[in-house]
Amino acid sequence: MEHTFTHTVVVPYILLEPLWAAVLIALFLRKRGSWAAALSTLVAALICFRALKMALGGFRFEGGTEWLHLGNFALSIGFKYDDLAALMLCIVGIVGLGVHVFSLGYMHDDAAKGRYFGGLSIFMFSMIGIVLADNLFMMFIFWELVGFSSWLLIGHWYEKTSASEAAKKAFITNRVGDFGFLIGIIWCYWANGTVNLSALGAHHVFSTGIALLLFCGAVGKSAQLPLQVWLPDAMEGPTPVSALIHAATMVAAGVYMLCRINVLMVPDALTVIMWTGTATALYAACCAITQSDIKKVLAYSTLSQLGYMVAAFGLGSGNHDPVAITGGSGEHRTLVVVAAAGVGAAMFHLTTHAFFKALLFLGSGSVIHGCHHEQDIFKMGGLRTRMPLTFWTFTIGVAAIIGLPGLAGFFSKDAILYLAFANNKAVFLVLAFTAILTALYMTRLWRITFFGEPRSESAAHAHEGGLTLTLPLVVLAILAAIGGYVAIYPKVFTGVFELIPEAHGGDHTTILITSLVVLILGAGTALFFYKPAATDPLEARAPGLFRLLASKLWFDEIYQWYIDKVQQRFALLLNFLEQIFLAGLIIRGFAGVVGLFGLGARALHVGKLNVYLYWFLGGVVVLWLFATGVF
């Protein structure tokens, strides 16, 4: 009982400490950047320590308290701390601490350092709230706070028009997906009478509509088609923000949420989810091939890997176990639920991806910092000898993401490919081709950035950063190398890792051969085709293909056309109708009528007794007519 009480008390501290830090920074430390950085980093270290301690302690619990009561509706604030939450909390804690330490060096001379670290603390508070939430309403509250904090951090350099526009774009695009998420939560509550995650697992009504509406939240937050447009632009924020929010945690919140609500999934919804993730993975990989901004390449890579995770979750639909449940009206029905393999594969890749993608983003930050804020890879070159530690750690990150055998990405990617091979051969082929493209564009990025001769003054004078910039790279490189070995993880995460699908016999051989062929084709093509140079050879040799891939299928242009030609004109029409009918005829019209009555009433008061007598006699006549029934 004492053990239970201790952990029940500690969990709120994990949630509230970053909020307290953010409040203190906002009230007292905005102009004291170094103090704000120290406080925010200290809190991040406490979160990481407590997350690891609680996870390794093996204690799991859930519970909550009623926060708001309106009629029959009750909003609860509670915590669900199981193996899934423990794993995600550890990822947030480890990556969050690494990003805070890296930011100490990267943002050292930033004039608004206090505001930056306050934003990091707000984000940590919001993300932890999503991880620990025991019901969908509480999750949605923190879901929106994550959107707010990402807007704050993406637009940190708000003096730049591009950063300000990117922050607004991210915020608005996410609200589109969140609207569907909210409708799904309301529908779920209306159908089931509860949105508590444990209660839904034991007793709920299956609905394709509810599942797909809830998936809308993941489409926005995890930047899946067609709401993927905000993530590449979000690279306008500081590079450590990209590592924390847009590689390892915030964008992964959509995948985590899907795994949280897997009991609500039905086959039709999972099929949609599977193909959405598959299409996003392929689309983003194609876009990445033509990017010249080092962060934009990694942004599209993140989109592609998120597509892998979403597809993995949907692929669980190929293996269902029938379960008997009682519906909302009491009838007994036999339905199917998603196989746990999809959850295991998605969370496994989320875990490994968090390590190697955070490493790649922080590595790109080290490159940008060393090259005096140059981000064009065709203006780099020769960094292998000038920044050796960044080169070797970045190389490990690249090797992990392209699936080099023995590194983290190899194991998690193979788990997804096996699941696709077992359940849907068409998806398997698309994902395998996407893996070829991944190896191609990441090897292209690596070779052009680090090899050859410096192609600008910035690259020629590049240098390695200090300890705060390099230490997180080393730690994340170790995790990217060994993070795929499930045996090294404590048994406390068994509830998640035991769900990872494993190939056996002939299937194992098939997947292994596929992975090696994919790696050789992608990386080999990049090494042969891309030489360290100041121009992109694809643009010179195949300009038509290059323009097509660089167009990103004109999503941004289509959305801009819709805003300018449809939404804006509709808004102008509504404004015109409001001015004519509401403000004009109704408000001013009624005011005019009342004014006329007032003028008439004042005209009756002339101050003459004989006039008042005539009005009195007229009133008597009218009263007599009513009394006799004439009126």
mmCIF file of all heavy atoms in Angstrom, residues 295-333:
data_model
loop_
_atom_site.group_PDB
_atom_site.id
_atom_site.type_symbol
_atom_site.label_atom_id
_atom_site.label_comp_id
_atom_site.label_asym_id
_atom_site.label_seq_id
_atom_site.Cartn_x
_atom_site.Cartn_y
_atom_site.Cartn_z
ATOM 1 N N LYS A 295 17.568 20.173 -43.117
ATOM 2 C CA LYS A 295 16.452 19.916 -42.208
ATOM 3 C C LYS A 295 15.201 19.479 -42.967
ATOM 4 O O LYS A 295 14.400 18.694 -42.449
ATOM 5 C CB LYS A 295 16.163 21.155 -41.360
ATOM 6 C CG LYS A 295 17.230 21.432 -40.308
ATOM 7 C CD LYS A 295 16.989 22.731 -39.583
ATOM 8 C CE LYS A 295 15.715 22.712 -38.767
ATOM 9 N NZ LYS A 295 15.519 23.966 -38.013
ATOM 10 N N LYS A 296 15.017 19.982 -44.186
ATOM 11 C CA LYS A 296 13.850 19.576 -44.979
ATOM 12 C C LYS A 296 13.960 18.099 -45.381
ATOM 13 O O LYS A 296 12.956 17.383 -45.409
ATOM 14 C CB LYS A 296 13.729 20.453 -46.227
ATOM 15 C CG LYS A 296 13.282 21.880 -45.967
ATOM 16 C CD LYS A 296 11.808 21.941 -45.605
ATOM 17 C CE LYS A 296 11.355 23.390 -45.400
ATOM 18 N NZ LYS A 296 11.269 24.139 -46.655
ATOM 19 N N VAL A 297 15.165 17.646 -45.682
ATOM 20 C CA VAL A 297 15.352 16.214 -45.991
ATOM 21 C C VAL A 297 14.919 15.372 -44.801
ATOM 22 O O VAL A 297 14.184 14.388 -44.939
ATOM 23 C CB VAL A 297 16.815 15.912 -46.351
ATOM 24 C CG1 VAL A 297 16.997 14.410 -46.583
ATOM 25 C CG2 VAL A 297 17.242 16.689 -47.586
ATOM 26 N N LEU A 298 15.364 15.772 -43.607
ATOM 27 C CA LEU A 298 15.009 15.027 -42.398
ATOM 28 C C LEU A 298 13.527 15.161 -42.077
ATOM 29 O O LEU A 298 12.920 14.240 -41.515
ATOM 30 C CB LEU A 298 15.861 15.513 -41.223
ATOM 31 C CG LEU A 298 17.370 15.294 -41.363
ATOM 32 C CD1 LEU A 298 18.103 15.845 -40.156
ATOM 33 C CD2 LEU A 298 17.684 13.813 -41.541
ATOM 34 N N ALA A 299 12.918 16.291 -42.434
ATOM 35 C CA ALA A 299 11.483 16.477 -42.197
ATOM 36 C C ALA A 299 10.674 15.495 -43.033
ATOM 37 O O ALA A 299 9.759 14.832 -42.526
ATOM 38 C CB ALA A 299 11.080 17.909 -42.529
ATOM 39 N N TYR A 300 11.009 15.386 -44.321
ATOM 40 C CA TYR A 300 10.282 14.432 -45.165
ATOM 41 C C TYR A 300 10.612 12.995 -44.776
ATOM 42 O O TYR A 300 9.771 12.093 -44.911
ATOM 43 C CB TYR A 300 10.600 14.686 -46.637
ATOM 44 C CG TYR A 300 9.813 15.844 -47.207
ATOM 45 C CD1 TYR A 300 10.416 17.060 -47.472
ATOM 46 C CD2 TYR A 300 8.446 15.729 -47.439
ATOM 47 C CE1 TYR A 300 9.687 18.137 -47.962
ATOM 48 C CE2 TYR A 300 7.710 16.791 -47.936
ATOM 49 C CZ TYR A 300 8.332 17.993 -48.196
ATOM 50 O OH TYR A 300 7.603 19.046 -48.674
ATOM 51 N N SER A 301 11.813 12.775 -44.290
ATOM 52 C CA SER A 301 12.149 11.461 -43.770
ATOM 53 C C SER A 301 11.258 11.114 -42.577
ATOM 54 O O SER A 301 10.777 9.984 -42.447
ATOM 55 C CB SER A 301 13.620 11.421 -43.357
ATOM 56 O OG SER A 301 13.923 10.235 -42.658
ATOM 57 N N THR A 302 11.031 12.101 -41.706
ATOM 58 C CA THR A 302 10.144 11.882 -40.566
ATOM 59 C C THR A 302 8.735 11.552 -41.030
ATOM 60 O O THR A 302 8.089 10.634 -40.504
ATOM 61 C CB THR A 302 10.117 13.144 -39.673
ATOM 62 O OG1 THR A 302 11.430 13.397 -39.191
ATOM 63 C CG2 THR A 302 9.179 12.951 -38.496
ATOM 64 N N LEU A 303 8.242 12.290 -42.015
ATOM 65 C CA LEU A 303 6.922 12.002 -42.577
ATOM 66 C C LEU A 303 6.845 10.554 -43.063
ATOM 67 O O LEU A 303 5.863 9.842 -42.807
ATOM 68 C CB LEU A 303 6.644 12.932 -43.760
ATOM 69 C CG LEU A 303 6.083 14.319 -43.484
ATOM 70 C CD1 LEU A 303 5.934 15.089 -44.788
ATOM 71 C CD2 LEU A 303 4.735 14.217 -42.797
ATOM 72 N N SER A 304 7.878 10.129 -43.763
ATOM 73 C CA SER A 304 7.890 8.782 -44.316
ATOM 74 C C SER A 304 7.896 7.721 -43.213
ATOM 75 O O SER A 304 7.160 6.733 -43.276
ATOM 76 C CB SER A 304 9.106 8.610 -45.224
ATOM 77 O OG SER A 304 9.069 7.363 -45.889
ATOM 78 N N GLN A 305 8.719 7.938 -42.188
ATOM 79 C CA GLN A 305 8.794 6.965 -41.097
ATOM 80 C C GLN A 305 7.514 6.942 -40.265
ATOM 81 O O GLN A 305 7.098 5.884 -39.774
ATOM 82 C CB GLN A 305 10.003 7.278 -40.209
ATOM 83 C CG GLN A 305 11.338 7.186 -40.914
ATOM 84 C CD GLN A 305 11.560 5.839 -41.586
ATOM 85 O OE1 GLN A 305 11.459 4.793 -40.956
ATOM 86 N NE2 GLN A 305 11.854 5.871 -42.881
ATOM 87 N N LEU A 306 6.877 8.099 -40.110
ATOM 88 C CA LEU A 306 5.567 8.121 -39.443
ATOM 89 C C LEU A 306 4.548 7.335 -40.254
ATOM 90 O O LEU A 306 3.682 6.657 -39.694
ATOM 91 C CB LEU A 306 5.101 9.565 -39.263
ATOM 92 C CG LEU A 306 5.842 10.388 -38.206
ATOM 93 C CD1 LEU A 306 5.475 11.861 -38.336
ATOM 94 C CD2 LEU A 306 5.516 9.896 -36.801
ATOM 95 N N GLY A 307 4.645 7.438 -41.571
ATOM 96 C CA GLY A 307 3.770 6.630 -42.418
ATOM 97 C C GLY A 307 3.992 5.144 -42.187
ATOM 98 O O GLY A 307 3.038 4.349 -42.142
ATOM 99 N N TYR A 308 5.257 4.753 -42.006
ATOM 100 C CA TYR A 308 5.572 3.361 -41.672
ATOM 101 C C TYR A 308 4.865 2.937 -40.385
ATOM 102 O O TYR A 308 4.280 1.852 -40.301
ATOM 103 C CB TYR A 308 7.085 3.215 -41.484
ATOM 104 C CG TYR A 308 7.795 2.551 -42.641
ATOM 105 C CD1 TYR A 308 8.257 3.295 -43.717
ATOM 106 C CD2 TYR A 308 8.000 1.182 -42.664
ATOM 107 C CE1 TYR A 308 8.921 2.699 -44.779
ATOM 108 C CE2 TYR A 308 8.657 0.568 -43.710
ATOM 109 C CZ TYR A 308 9.121 1.335 -44.772
ATOM 110 O OH TYR A 308 9.763 0.726 -45.816
ATOM 111 N N MET A 309 4.924 3.780 -39.366
ATOM 112 C CA MET A 309 4.304 3.444 -38.074
ATOM 113 C C MET A 309 2.794 3.325 -38.194
ATOM 114 O O MET A 309 2.181 2.384 -37.658
ATOM 115 C CB MET A 309 4.653 4.509 -37.032
ATOM 116 C CG MET A 309 6.132 4.645 -36.728
ATOM 117 S SD MET A 309 6.427 6.041 -35.612
ATOM 118 C CE MET A 309 8.071 6.536 -36.095
ATOM 119 N N VAL A 310 2.180 4.278 -38.888
ATOM 120 C CA VAL A 310 0.722 4.244 -39.056
ATOM 121 C C VAL A 310 0.320 3.016 -39.867
ATOM 122 O O VAL A 310 -0.665 2.340 -39.544
ATOM 123 C CB VAL A 310 0.238 5.541 -39.725
ATOM 124 C CG1 VAL A 310 -1.240 5.449 -40.091
ATOM 125 C CG2 VAL A 310 0.464 6.736 -38.797
ATOM 126 N N ALA A 311 1.071 2.725 -40.915
ATOM 127 C CA ALA A 311 0.784 1.530 -41.706
ATOM 128 C C ALA A 311 0.919 0.267 -40.858
ATOM 129 O O ALA A 311 0.114 -0.663 -40.969
ATOM 130 C CB ALA A 311 1.719 1.463 -42.912
ATOM 131 N N ALA A 312 1.935 0.230 -40.006
ATOM 132 C CA ALA A 312 2.127 -0.931 -39.131
ATOM 133 C C ALA A 312 0.926 -1.133 -38.221
ATOM 134 O O ALA A 312 0.462 -2.265 -38.035
ATOM 135 C CB ALA A 312 3.390 -0.750 -38.296
ATOM 136 N N PHE A 313 0.425 -0.037 -37.665
ATOM 137 C CA PHE A 313 -0.752 -0.158 -36.811
ATOM 138 C C PHE A 313 -1.934 -0.706 -37.605
ATOM 139 O O PHE A 313 -2.638 -1.612 -37.151
ATOM 140 C CB PHE A 313 -1.112 1.205 -36.225
ATOM 141 C CG PHE A 313 -2.338 1.182 -35.352
ATOM 142 C CD1 PHE A 313 -2.248 0.787 -34.031
ATOM 143 C CD2 PHE A 313 -3.573 1.541 -35.859
ATOM 144 C CE1 PHE A 313 -3.378 0.746 -33.228
ATOM 145 C CE2 PHE A 313 -4.703 1.508 -35.067
ATOM 146 C CZ PHE A 313 -4.607 1.108 -33.740
ATOM 147 N N GLY A 314 -2.152 -0.175 -38.805
ATOM 148 C CA GLY A 314 -3.260 -0.656 -39.625
ATOM 149 C C GLY A 314 -3.091 -2.081 -40.099
ATOM 150 O O GLY A 314 -4.066 -2.794 -40.304
ATOM 151 N N LEU A 315 -1.856 -2.509 -40.259
ATOM 152 C CA LEU A 315 -1.600 -3.872 -40.743
ATOM 153 C C LEU A 315 -2.028 -4.928 -39.736
ATOM 154 O O LEU A 315 -2.158 -6.100 -40.081
ATOM 155 C CB LEU A 315 -0.122 -4.042 -41.063
ATOM 156 C CG LEU A 315 0.332 -3.462 -42.403
ATOM 157 C CD1 LEU A 315 1.836 -3.331 -42.456
ATOM 158 C CD2 LEU A 315 -0.183 -4.325 -43.547
ATOM 159 N N GLY A 316 -2.228 -4.539 -38.493
ATOM 160 C CA GLY A 316 -2.739 -5.501 -37.523
ATOM 161 C C GLY A 316 -4.093 -6.035 -37.885
ATOM 162 O O GLY A 316 -4.534 -7.057 -37.365
ATOM 163 N N SER A 317 -4.787 -5.342 -38.808
ATOM 164 C CA SER A 317 -6.139 -5.765 -39.200
ATOM 165 C C SER A 317 -6.134 -7.085 -39.945
ATOM 166 O O SER A 317 -7.170 -7.702 -40.139
ATOM 167 C CB SER A 317 -6.774 -4.697 -40.097
ATOM 168 O OG SER A 317 -6.001 -4.516 -41.281
ATOM 169 N N GLY A 318 -4.968 -7.533 -40.375
ATOM 170 C CA GLY A 318 -4.923 -8.781 -41.112
ATOM 171 C C GLY A 318 -5.008 -10.006 -40.236
ATOM 172 O O GLY A 318 -5.067 -11.123 -40.719
ATOM 173 N N ASN A 319 -5.028 -9.843 -38.920
ATOM 174 C CA ASN A 319 -5.026 -10.996 -38.019
ATOM 175 C C ASN A 319 -5.893 -10.686 -36.809
ATOM 176 O O ASN A 319 -5.436 -10.113 -35.834
ATOM 177 C CB ASN A 319 -3.587 -11.304 -37.587
ATOM 178 C CG ASN A 319 -3.510 -12.506 -36.668
ATOM 179 O OD1 ASN A 319 -4.452 -13.306 -36.615
ATOM 180 N ND2 ASN A 319 -2.421 -12.632 -35.949
ATOM 181 N N HIS A 320 -7.173 -11.007 -36.895
ATOM 182 C CA HIS A 320 -8.114 -10.639 -35.847
ATOM 183 C C HIS A 320 -8.490 -11.838 -34.985
ATOM 184 O O HIS A 320 -8.533 -12.967 -35.442
ATOM 185 C CB HIS A 320 -9.401 -10.065 -36.457
ATOM 186 C CG HIS A 320 -9.173 -8.818 -37.236
ATOM 187 N ND1 HIS A 320 -8.713 -7.665 -36.675
ATOM 188 C CD2 HIS A 320 -9.322 -8.564 -38.553
ATOM 189 C CE1 HIS A 320 -8.607 -6.734 -37.602
ATOM 190 N NE2 HIS A 320 -8.971 -7.261 -38.744
ATOM 191 N N ASP A 321 -8.783 -11.554 -33.754
ATOM 192 C CA ASP A 321 -9.298 -12.564 -32.842
ATOM 193 C C ASP A 321 -10.715 -12.181 -32.464
ATOM 194 O O ASP A 321 -10.950 -11.067 -32.008
ATOM 195 C CB ASP A 321 -8.440 -12.633 -31.577
ATOM 196 C CG ASP A 321 -7.001 -12.979 -31.907
ATOM 197 O OD1 ASP A 321 -6.810 -13.913 -32.677
ATOM 198 O OD2 ASP A 321 -6.112 -12.288 -31.400
ATOM 199 N N PRO A 322 -11.708 -13.051 -32.636
ATOM 200 C CA PRO A 322 -13.078 -12.691 -32.275
ATOM 201 C C PRO A 322 -13.231 -12.582 -30.769
ATOM 202 O O PRO A 322 -12.683 -13.367 -30.015
ATOM 203 C CB PRO A 322 -13.898 -13.861 -32.833
ATOM 204 C CG PRO A 322 -12.946 -15.000 -32.899
ATOM 205 C CD PRO A 322 -11.596 -14.408 -33.169
ATOM 206 N N VAL A 323 -13.957 -11.570 -30.333
ATOM 207 C CA VAL A 323 -14.241 -11.402 -28.925
ATOM 208 C C VAL A 323 -15.711 -11.087 -28.760
ATOM 209 O O VAL A 323 -16.331 -10.472 -29.617
ATOM 210 C CB VAL A 323 -13.402 -10.257 -28.304
ATOM 211 C CG1 VAL A 323 -11.948 -10.590 -28.328
ATOM 212 C CG2 VAL A 323 -13.665 -8.948 -29.018
ATOM 213 N N ALA A 324 -16.287 -11.514 -27.653
ATOM 214 C CA ALA A 324 -17.688 -11.235 -27.380
ATOM 215 C C ALA A 324 -17.787 -10.014 -26.485
ATOM 216 O O ALA A 324 -17.109 -9.917 -25.474
ATOM 217 C CB ALA A 324 -18.329 -12.429 -26.672
ATOM 218 N N ILE A 325 -18.609 -9.053 -26.877
ATOM 219 C CA ILE A 325 -18.793 -7.858 -26.076
ATOM 220 C C ILE A 325 -20.277 -7.551 -25.965
ATOM 221 O O ILE A 325 -21.091 -8.061 -26.729
ATOM 222 C CB ILE A 325 -18.078 -6.642 -26.685
ATOM 223 C CG1 ILE A 325 -18.710 -6.271 -28.026
ATOM 224 C CG2 ILE A 325 -16.613 -6.883 -26.855
ATOM 225 C CD1 ILE A 325 -18.311 -4.919 -28.517
ATOM 226 N N THR A 326 -20.608 -6.716 -25.015
ATOM 227 C CA THR A 326 -21.985 -6.284 -24.857
ATOM 228 C C THR A 326 -22.094 -4.858 -25.341
ATOM 229 O O THR A 326 -21.361 -3.982 -24.884
ATOM 230 C CB THR A 326 -22.413 -6.347 -23.382
ATOM 231 O OG1 THR A 326 -22.239 -7.680 -22.950
ATOM 232 C CG2 THR A 326 -23.861 -5.945 -23.231
ATOM 233 N N GLY A 327 -23.010 -4.604 -26.272
ATOM 234 C CA GLY A 327 -23.166 -3.277 -26.838
ATOM 235 C C GLY A 327 -23.878 -2.356 -25.889
ATOM 236 O O GLY A 327 -24.327 -2.724 -24.811
ATOM 237 N N GLY A 328 -24.039 -1.088 -26.323
ATOM 238 C CA GLY A 328 -24.629 -0.081 -25.470
ATOM 239 C C GLY A 328 -26.082 -0.379 -25.131
ATOM 240 O O GLY A 328 -26.586 0.036 -24.105
ATOM 241 N N SER A 329 -26.778 -1.093 -26.016
ATOM 242 C CA SER A 329 -28.188 -1.379 -25.759
ATOM 243 C C SER A 329 -28.397 -2.735 -25.112
ATOM 244 O O SER A 329 -29.513 -3.178 -24.930
ATOM 245 C CB SER A 329 -28.967 -1.303 -27.080
ATOM 246 O OG SER A 329 -28.431 -2.224 -28.011
ATOM 247 N N GLY A 330 -27.342 -3.426 -24.795
ATOM 248 C CA GLY A 330 -27.443 -4.664 -24.049
ATOM 249 C C GLY A 330 -27.385 -5.913 -24.898
ATOM 250 O O GLY A 330 -27.303 -7.020 -24.388
ATOM 251 N N GLU A 331 -27.434 -5.775 -26.241
ATOM 252 C CA GLU A 331 -27.400 -6.970 -27.067
ATOM 253 C C GLU A 331 -26.010 -7.577 -27.081
ATOM 254 O O GLU A 331 -25.017 -6.862 -26.945
ATOM 255 C CB GLU A 331 -27.853 -6.646 -28.498
ATOM 256 C CG GLU A 331 -26.892 -5.792 -29.312
ATOM 257 C CD GLU A 331 -27.101 -4.310 -29.081
ATOM 258 O OE1 GLU A 331 -27.729 -3.965 -28.063
ATOM 259 O OE2 GLU A 331 -26.620 -3.514 -29.892
ATOM 260 N N HIS A 332 -25.940 -8.892 -27.267
ATOM 261 C CA HIS A 332 -24.665 -9.605 -27.267
ATOM 262 C C HIS A 332 -24.221 -9.802 -28.709
ATOM 263 O O HIS A 332 -24.951 -10.346 -29.521
ATOM 264 C CB HIS A 332 -24.848 -10.965 -26.586
ATOM 265 C CG HIS A 332 -23.552 -11.577 -26.155
ATOM 266 N ND1 HIS A 332 -22.749 -11.023 -25.187
ATOM 267 C CD2 HIS A 332 -22.914 -12.693 -26.577
ATOM 268 C CE1 HIS A 332 -21.693 -11.779 -25.003
ATOM 269 N NE2 HIS A 332 -21.760 -12.792 -25.835
ATOM 270 N N ARG A 333 -23.033 -9.304 -29.008
ATOM 271 C CA ARG A 333 -22.549 -9.379 -30.380
ATOM 272 C C ARG A 333 -21.138 -9.942 -30.413
ATOM 273 O O ARG A 333 -20.380 -9.762 -29.470
ATOM 274 C CB ARG A 333 -22.537 -7.980 -31.024
ATOM 275 C CG ARG A 333 -23.925 -7.406 -31.220
ATOM 276 C CD ARG A 333 -23.829 -6.002 -31.763
ATOM 277 N NE ARG A 333 -23.463 -5.066 -30.703
ATOM 278 C CZ ARG A 333 -23.267 -3.775 -30.921
ATOM 279 N NH1 ARG A 333 -23.366 -3.296 -32.125
ATOM 280 N NH2 ARG A 333 -22.969 -2.970 -29.922
#
